[in-house]
Amino acid sequence: MLASSISPVVFKEFKAQKSVVTPVSAKTVNADPLSEAVNRQVNNILTDMNPEIELLIPTYLGNEKRRFYGRGTPEGLNLLDRFELGSGITAFRGYGTWSGAGWTGQPTITKDRGKTYLVIGAYDHSLRKIDIETNEVVWRYKYDDILKGSSTIYIDPTASEEDRIVVLQGSRLGVRNSLFTSAPVPSFRAISFRTGKELWKLNIRKTASYSRDNDSSGIDLGSGVIFNAGENAIGYFINSSTRTAAKKEGIIQPQILAEVQLYQPADIGRHSGNLVAESSPAVLKDRIYIAAGSGHIYGISIKERKIVWDFYTGSDMDGTVAISKDEKLFCAIEKQYIPGNGGVLKLNPAKKESESVEWFFPTNNARLDDWQGGIIGSVALNDEYRTEEMPALFATCAIDGNVYIGSQNVITGQKVRGPLLDREYNTPLIVFKQRIGGSISTPIFTDGNKLIAACYSGVYLFNLYFEPANPDDKNALKNSKGEFYRVIVEEAARFKPEVSFESTPIVWDGLVRICARDGWMYTLG
């Protein structure tokens, strides 16, 4: 009962702020009296403890289900402040200078010793810890290349006080490094949150994949284990105790407990080496779920440390699996290597793979840079921000230039062909669609029933209203109590500085923070 009432980070560490402790489900009308009593008791205990460390947004998309985006209700998108991230050189079709931060580029937020800090990696090769109140840099750690992915922060109880909080962050392989070098390519590193000093580096070794970068955000599994996926298509089970790191290949490396290969031999020819694992792992019960560039959505047993579930899409997949309250997987599919369209797949991992598809939502084919369609970002869920009166929604931004909001559970009755064109599936009810321009960013739901979506031509804020409806009304959605509501969406604000946004925003205390490709991180409100 405690585990269902408290976020995993709080339950594990007994350190969290009260507003994060009580999830939406504990605040809803007519909540179970016993659950309310448990929540009150735990909140009182946590408040009395006066916690020193609060992991507020500790990883990409907020938690191990990848569906938490921050707290507070944004009232607008006015420019309040900005922070210069700078530029750096990277190798991509020759050497070039990239500015700001891009995909996934979402900051993390941690409160430590009474102050709140933001951690962000950027294209100037730097990882920074920033005092969120003053916008001043506390420390800056330099990598060998640009940083694309988001950090993960966890607590190492075995470490000294100064190294107790650990930042995990990946980068590209290194401007001076070769894919084929026999020397270590330390694209994934652990940094001390309090000091900014390096704790260890992990060699992302050469495999059949054509990348040795690290875009994925690792996850703390508890019990002394973290999991991370390298772009070499290897999933690493790593000892979370930094004390166990030891010198190997000339650098201090973490203890690897087990490795999982995220591709099959047949995938090498089909994808010509594009086996890159860029998405972040999500956790449901005793399994890790991760979308791999090899065309598989894998379920990995945490206990056995091996693949036990394998849904094949055939497509390259960059988006991170989001897991809903009813324990379903929402997966973003790119239009690549497949005859059909990309889009969103909803899977039931409790069923065998061939019977797991609950619905498929295809997006339109459209060319944007090298992309041909589908979804590059992830799917957002409103599960952390709705009461039981509100219907369960998903949202996503697509290469076709649209932002979509749809029902997690209501289907239309129509059938669509899947990504491989081999089967027909149900398709969900889409309640809102607006053209905003091509996007690889992940939209986010917020407190106050709002949605923020970013694209290559700005940032949008939408208000969501829920009005009672009859079952036969157009776009009527049923909530968990069996009542019907219609969703009305309106554009509330737009921030268009004529620069590109690829990263995913966060909200804290009602303020929106998002990184852009012009060299800056913006604070909007």
Side-chain angles (χ1 to χ4, degrees):
M1 290 178 64
L2 285 174
S4 68
S5 304
I6 316 172
S7 73
V9 171
V10 176
F11 183 68
K12 199 160 45 181
E13 303 297 340
F14 283 91
K15 298 177 174 74
Q17 90 175 46
K18 190 172 181 178
S19 62
V20 179
V21 171
T22 308
V24 172
S25 60
K27 298 179 184 174
T28 55
V29 178
N30 298 325
D32 179 74
L34 184 55
S35 296
E36 289 182 349
V38 171
N39 278 327
R40 283 196 300 271
Q41 235 179 339
V42 173
N43 286 337
N44 290 337
I45 293 171
L46 293 172
T47 300
D48 292 342
M49 289 177 68
N50 188 22
E52 185 179 58
I53 305 169
E54 302 175 24
L55 304 184
L56 302 175
I57 305 178
T59 189
Y60 178 57
L61 302 178
N63 59 19
E64 81 288 351
K65 301 295 187 294
R66 307 294 180 181
R67 66 178 193 221
F68 177 68
Y69 322 109
R71 286 297 182 207
T73 301
E75 299 299 334
L77 293 178
N78 300 307
L79 177 60
L80 303 179
D81 203 350
R82 63 179 189 166
F83 180 92
E84 187 173 10
L85 296 171
S87 304
I89 295 173
T90 193
F92 182 73
R93 298 170 184 166
Y95 289 96
T97 299
W98 290 21
S99 299
W103 187 95
T104 56
Q106 188 183 43
T108 56
I109 296 182
T110 301
K111 190 172 183 180
D112 181 35
R113 296 170 173 169
K115 284 192 172 185
T116 303
Y117 301 97
L118 178 148
V119 172
I120 184 68
Y123 287 165
D124 71 336
H125 300 192
S126 296
L127 180 70
R128 290 178 177 87
K129 175 183 175 182
I130 301 169
D131 187 317
I132 207 168
E133 185 176 344
T134 64
N135 247 8
E136 294 179 352
V137 176
V138 179
W139 53 251
R140 177 181 176 187
Y141 174 90
K142 293 283 284 186
Y143 278 71
D144 304 327
D145 209 328
I146 67 170
L147 284 67
K148 287 174 60 188
S150 303
S151 61
T152 289
I153 298 180
Y154 74 96
I155 298 171
D156 176 6
T158 71
S160 64
E161 273 298 313
E162 66 175 8
D163 296 333
R164 177 107 355 134
I165 313 173
V166 182
V167 183
L168 302 174
Q169 175 72 52
S171 71
R172 279 193 167 173
L173 84 166
V175 175
R176 294 181 176 86
N177 287 334
S178 164
L179 175 66
F180 300 101
T181 182
S182 59
V185 174
S187 305
F188 187 60
R189 305 184 184 188
I191 311 299
S192 171
F193 176 85
R194 285 176 171 162
T195 69
K197 294 179 181 178
E198 178 186 298
L199 299 174
W200 52 249
K201 300 177 181 178
L202 174 63
N203 174 30
I204 302 298
R205 61 183 174 80
K206 181 71 180 77
T207 65
S209 170
Y210 62 40
S211 178
R212 297 174 73 175
D213 302 349
N214 197 116
D215 281 2
S216 179
S217 299
I219 199 75
D220 180 15
L221 300 175
S223 302
V225 182
I226 54 180
F227 181 87
N228 177 70
E231 287 196 17
N232 59 351
I234 299 295
Y236 297 91
F237 287 89
I238 300 172
N239 192 325
S240 66
S241 172
T242 57
R243 290 182 181 273
T244 63
K247 196 163 188 177
K248 180 182 177 182
E249 301 172 294
I251 58 176
I252 301 299
Q253 296 201 52
Q255 182 187 16
I256 305 300
L257 304 174
E259 294 184 0
V260 179
Q261 182 174 290
L262 301 176
Y263 62 93
Q264 306 302 318
D267 301 325
I268 299 172
R270 284 193 291 251
H271 284 206
S272 302
N274 186 7
L275 308 171
V276 178
E278 297 182 71
S279 72
S280 300
V283 179
L284 175 61
K285 295 180 179 176
D286 60 348
R287 288 186 187 176
I288 297 165
Y289 289 95
I290 189 167
S294 58
H296 300 260
I297 299 167
Y298 288 119
I300 302 170
S301 168
I302 295 174
K303 181 179 179 181
E304 300 176 72
R305 297 174 182 170
K306 68 178 184 179
I307 294 168
V308 294
W309 195 83
D310 180 358
F311 184 91
Y312 183 68
T313 70
S315 172
D316 182 19
M317 290 177 287
D318 300 325
T320 293
V321 174
I323 304 177
S324 61
K325 276 188 177 180
D326 60 353
E327 300 183 345
K328 306 300 169 57
L329 312 181
F330 289 75
C331 312
I333 312 298
E334 183 183 343
K335 167 63 176 172
Q336 190 176 12
Y337 306 115
I338 54 174
N341 290 34
V344 180
L345 269 171
K346 180 186 177 185
L347 306 177
N348 183 349
K351 296 184 177 181
K352 64 182 182 180
E353 296 89 335
S354 60
E355 300 173 358
S356 64
V357 178
E358 294 204 352
W359 52 250
F360 175 57
F361 169 58
T363 59
N364 300 317
N365 294 333
R367 193 162 190 86
L368 178 65
D369 198 10
D370 289 339
W371 298 298
Q372 302 169 40
I375 298 166
I376 308 301
S378 303
V379 180
L381 306 176
N382 73 334
D383 289 1
E384 305 287 346
Y385 302 94
R386 63 183 174 90
T387 66
E388 60 182 5
E389 279 77 21
M390 298 174 191
L393 302 175
F394 77 90
T396 195
C397 295
I399 292 296
D400 67 15
N402 294 307
V403 56
Y404 297 94
I405 301 176
S407 170
Q408 291 185 26
N409 305 311
V410 178
I411 56 177
T412 63
Q414 298 177 333
K415 297 285 187 178
V416 295
R417 298 179 76 182
L420 295 174
L421 300 182
D422 57 342
R423 296 184 65 177
E424 289 192 334
Y425 300 117
N426 291 316
T427 193
L429 180 62
I430 301 300
V431 298
F432 178 76
K433 168 186 171 182
Q434 179 171 314
R435 184 161 189 82
I436 62 172
S439 175
I440 64 173
S441 173
T442 299
I444 64 169
F445 289 98
T446 77
D447 292 329
N449 300 321
K450 296 175 185 287
L451 181 82
I452 300 166
C455 63
Y456 281 106
S457 57
V459 185
Y460 290 74
L461 176 65
F462 298 98
N463 290 330
L464 280 66
Y465 302 100
F466 300 85
E467 67 174 26
N470 297 314
D472 297 331
D473 288 347
K474 183 180 179 181
N475 289 348
L477 305 180
K478 186 164 64 173
N479 62 21
S480 59
K481 299 168 66 176
E483 302 164 336
F484 286 86
Y485 284 84
R486 183 167 49 245
V487 182
I488 299 172
V489 183
E490 67 172 17
E491 183 182 319
R494 188 184 303 186
F495 179 69
K496 293 188 67 175
E498 307 305 323
V499 296
S500 296
F501 290 90
E502 294 178 332
S503 65
T504 297
I506 58 167
V507 173
W508 197 255
D509 289 338
L511 301 181
V512 180
R513 288 179 172 84
I514 184 168
C515 300
R517 288 296 307 272
D518 66 345
W520 297 84
M521 177 170 61
Y522 291 88
T523 301
L524 311 174

Coordinates of all heavy atoms in Angstrom, one line a residue, residues 12 18 32 90 99 105 123 189 196 226 267 335 368 384 443 470 511:
K12 N 12.0 4.8 -1.8 CA 13.3 4.1 -1.7 C 14.2 4.9 -0.8 O 15.0 4.3 0.0 CB 13.9 4.1 -3.1 CG 15.0 3.1 -3.3 CD 15.2 2.8 -4.8 CE 15.1 4.0 -5.6 NZ 15.3 3.7 -7.1
K18 N 6.6 17.3 -0.2 CA 5.3 16.8 0.0 C 4.5 16.9 -1.3 O 3.7 16.0 -1.5 CB 4.6 17.7 1.1 CG 3.3 17.1 1.6 CD 2.8 17.9 2.8 CE 1.5 17.4 3.3 NZ 1.0 18.1 4.4
D32 N -10.2 6.2 -1.7 CA -10.3 5.2 -0.6 C -9.9 5.8 0.7 O -8.7 6.3 0.8 CB -9.5 4.0 -1.0 CG -9.6 2.9 0.1 OD1 -10.7 2.3 0.2 OD2 -8.6 2.8 0.8
T90 N 31.2 19.1 -33.4 CA 31.0 17.7 -33.4 C 31.1 17.2 -34.8 O 31.1 18.0 -35.8 CB 29.6 17.4 -32.9 OG1 29.5 16.0 -32.6 CG2 28.5 17.8 -33.9
S99 N 24.9 24.5 -31.7 CA 24.6 25.5 -30.6 C 23.5 25.0 -29.7 O 22.5 24.4 -30.2 CB 24.4 26.9 -31.1 OG 25.5 27.3 -31.9
G105 N 17.6 16.7 -24.5 CA 17.9 18.0 -24.0 C 17.0 18.4 -22.8 O 16.8 19.6 -22.7
Y123 N 25.5 21.4 -26.1 CA 26.3 21.1 -27.3 C 27.7 21.8 -27.2 O 28.6 21.6 -28.1 CB 25.6 21.7 -28.6 CG 24.5 20.8 -29.0 CD1 23.6 21.4 -30.0 CD2 24.3 19.5 -28.6 CE1 22.5 20.6 -30.4 CE2 23.3 18.8 -29.0 CZ 22.4 19.3 -30.0 OH 21.3 18.5 -30.4
R189 N 29.2 8.6 -18.4 CA 30.1 8.9 -17.2 C 29.2 9.2 -16.0 O 28.0 9.5 -16.1 CB 30.9 10.2 -17.5 CG 31.8 10.0 -18.7 CD 32.7 11.2 -19.0 NE 33.4 11.0 -20.2 CZ 34.4 11.8 -20.7 NH1 34.8 12.8 -19.9 NH2 35.0 11.5 -21.8
G196 N 31.0 18.1 -8.8 CA 31.3 18.2 -10.2 C 32.5 17.4 -10.7 O 33.0 17.5 -11.8
I226 N 22.0 0.0 -11.4 CA 21.5 0.9 -12.4 C 21.5 0.2 -13.8 O 22.3 -0.7 -14.0 CB 22.3 2.2 -12.4 CG1 23.8 2.0 -12.6 CG2 22.0 3.0 -11.2 CD1 24.6 3.3 -12.7
D267 N 19.1 -8.6 -37.7 CA 18.9 -7.1 -37.8 C 20.1 -6.4 -38.4 O 19.9 -5.3 -39.0 CB 18.7 -6.6 -36.4 CG 17.5 -7.2 -35.7 OD1 16.5 -7.5 -36.4 OD2 17.5 -7.4 -34.5
K335 N 9.1 6.2 -39.2 CA 8.9 5.7 -40.6 C 10.3 5.4 -41.2 O 10.9 6.3 -41.8 CB 8.1 6.7 -41.4 CG 8.1 6.4 -42.9 CD 7.4 5.0 -43.3 CE 7.4 4.9 -44.8 NZ 6.9 3.5 -45.2
L368 N 11.3 15.4 -43.4 CA 11.9 16.5 -42.6 C 13.3 16.1 -42.4 O 13.6 15.1 -41.6 CB 11.2 16.7 -41.3 CG 11.7 17.7 -40.3 CD1 11.6 19.1 -40.9 CD2 11.0 17.7 -39.0
E384 N -0.2 11.5 -14.4 CA 0.2 12.1 -13.2 C -0.5 13.4 -12.9 O -0.3 14.1 -11.9 CB 1.7 12.4 -13.2 CG 2.6 11.1 -13.5 CD 2.7 10.2 -12.4 OE1 2.3 10.6 -11.2 OE2 3.2 9.1 -12.6
P443 N 6.0 16.4 -26.2 CA 5.1 17.3 -25.5 C 5.0 16.9 -24.1 O 5.2 15.7 -23.7 CB 3.8 17.3 -26.3 CG 3.8 15.9 -26.8 CD 5.2 15.5 -27.1
N470 N -22.6 13.1 -23.2 CA -23.4 11.9 -23.3 C -22.6 10.8 -24.1 O -21.7 11.2 -24.9 CB -24.7 12.1 -24.1 CG -25.6 13.1 -23.3 OD1 -25.8 13.0 -22.1 ND2 -26.2 14.1 -24.0
L511 N 7.0 27.4 -13.9 CA 7.9 28.0 -14.9 C 8.3 26.9 -15.9 O 8.7 25.8 -15.5 CB 9.1 28.7 -14.3 CG 8.8 29.8 -13.3 CD1 10.1 30.4 -12.8 CD2 8.0 30.9 -14.0

